[in-house]
Amino acid sequence: MSTDLLIVGTGLIGTSIGLALRDQADVALSDRDPATLAAAVGRGAGRPWDGTERFRLALVAAPPSAVAEVMTRLQQVCPDAVLGHVASVQEPVQSALTAAGVALDRVCGSHPMAGKEQSGPQAASADLFVGRPWVLCPSPATSAEALDAVRGLVQACGAEPVVLSAAEHDAAVALVSHLPQVAASAVAALLERSGARPAGAVPALELAGPGLQDTTRIAGSAPGLWVDLLRHNAAAVAPLVHDLVAELSSAAAALDRLAAQPGDAGAAAQVEGLISRGNVGRSLVPRKRGGHDRDFAVVSVAVPDRPGQLAGVLVSAAQTGVNVEDVRVEHLPGRPTGVIELLVQPAAQEHARQALRAAGWDVTGP
Ligand SMILES: NC(=O)c1ccc[n+]([C@@H]2O[C@H](COP(=O)([O-])OP(=O)(O)OC[C@H]3O[C@@H](n4cnc5c(N)ncnc54)[C@H](O)[C@@H]3O)[C@@H](O)[C@H]2O)c1
């Protein structure tokens, strides 16, 4: 007996791939933890692998430090198969595979630029990769057949393949993924201090709004996996963290000066410069495939905290011919109102505002 696809490591990513492909391929699953494997099988991501059955393609979705050992074992079972992995760092995994003597012509590394701060099969979803970039990192030895096989899997999951060298990939994720993780964790770690307060005072964190939610969302990530990632990409991440420290030190020095002398124009200009450069950086962050914040105008609608408000706003937008490019919802449970932000083409902003007001919605702003 043989299978189309073997997935080794049935956590968040492995189970999501199984769920995405279960209607297109015969998927076998393996995990070193029997309970995790059973949970992935229970979610319908595939059937258990018996350890000997042959396969055409195997994807290793275990932590980066486990990839070389798993692939060594897989090549003993099935030397002709193509092997892929999804590790969030690529160069160290390529080096480990070379050191382990894995036949690299059959191997193509890859990294789906999609994920969650939760891990494990329970957090998996079939549409995790839809419309997301998925980086393919062939080594110089990777055969065209191996690259095509992994590219086909990526496309079957609904993702968009992007080919980069392992070094290019690792430098890019240091900036767009690993630096934000360190920064979010550092901000969230400071919140532990909020416990100390005078008796009877409102706990500071009860005043928190969406800004703190957004800034610290990824601080909920699993420490074990992140230590593995940061250890492997430390050389690329460390200089960026030093740059961040320099930004923060200069902001702290300016704030010290403002605390001593609120009218210090030089210090105020320094703080303004940081916020302005942040505006520029933020505008460069993609909001949706091929689109950026700067390409869209925002229409904000204040809504009561009741079920069905988002659907109601979107139905009104559709009925009045407003083409919504993207949606953001700022809402905290227990708060009386939330804000729905519709991103529209700039030329459509005024029409959208008037049409939604005419439909009875509380459109904020001019
Ligand atoms: N979490 C993300 O957002 C994300 C995004 C893209 C890529 N990745 C990469 O995907 C891979 C898996 O990450 P995840 O988030 O699914 O982690 P996870 O912790 O949810 O799952 C990893 C699974 O691998 C299993 N495992 C560990 N060592 C093994 C071994 N030697 N043999 C068989 N199974 C083994 C674990 O039991 C676990 O079930 C990692 O390489 C990670 O870098 C993660």
Side-chain angles (χ1 to χ4, degrees), residues 1 8 51 54 75 79 91 101 107-108 128 174 196 198-200 207 211-212 216 256 267 269 286 290 342 360 365:
M1 194 171 166
V8 182
R54 295 175 70 79
Q75 275 196 339
E91 259 198 320
V107 174
C108 182
L128 186 64
L207 306 176
L212 188 68
T216 60
D256 281 342
L342 306 179

Side-chain angles (χ1 to χ4, degrees), residues 8-15 30-33 36-37 60-67 69-70 73 85-89 110-121 128-129 222 225-226 228-229:
V8 182
T10 57
L12 169 69
I13 299 296
T15 302
S30 171
D31 196 289
R32 68 168 181 189
D33 175 25
T36 303
L37 174 62
V60 181
S65 55
V67 173
E69 169 247 311
V70 172
R73 222 168 357 101
H85 67 80
V86 292
S88 309
V89 287
S110 78
H111 178 202
M113 300 307 295
K116 291 183 179 173
E117 55 279 15
Q118 301 107 314
S119 55
L128 186 64
F129 311 108
L225 183 62
W226 271 96
D228 203 22
L229 298 185

Side-chain angles (χ1 to χ4, degrees), residues 184-196 204-205 208 211-213 215-217 219:
S185 296
V187 171
L190 289 183
L191 301 178
E192 274 197 316
R193 294 184 194 168
S194 73
L205 290 182
L212 188 68
Q213 290 276 355
T215 316
T216 60
R217 180 179 62 80

Side-chain angles (χ1 to χ4, degrees), residues 278-325:
N279 291 163
V280 174
R282 167 71 186 161
S283 73
L284 300 173
V285 178
R287 294 271 336 146
K288 60 183 279 191
R289 191 159 47 87
H292 294 74
D293 256 12
R294 63 170 183 266
D295 297 332
F296 300 124
V298 176
V299 177
S300 299
V301 183
V303 292
D305 182 16
R306 281 203 306 265
Q309 298 298 301
L310 175 60
V313 170
L314 291 175
V315 167
S316 292
Q319 285 170 345
T320 53
V322 174
N323 186 18
V324 178
E325 304 282 352

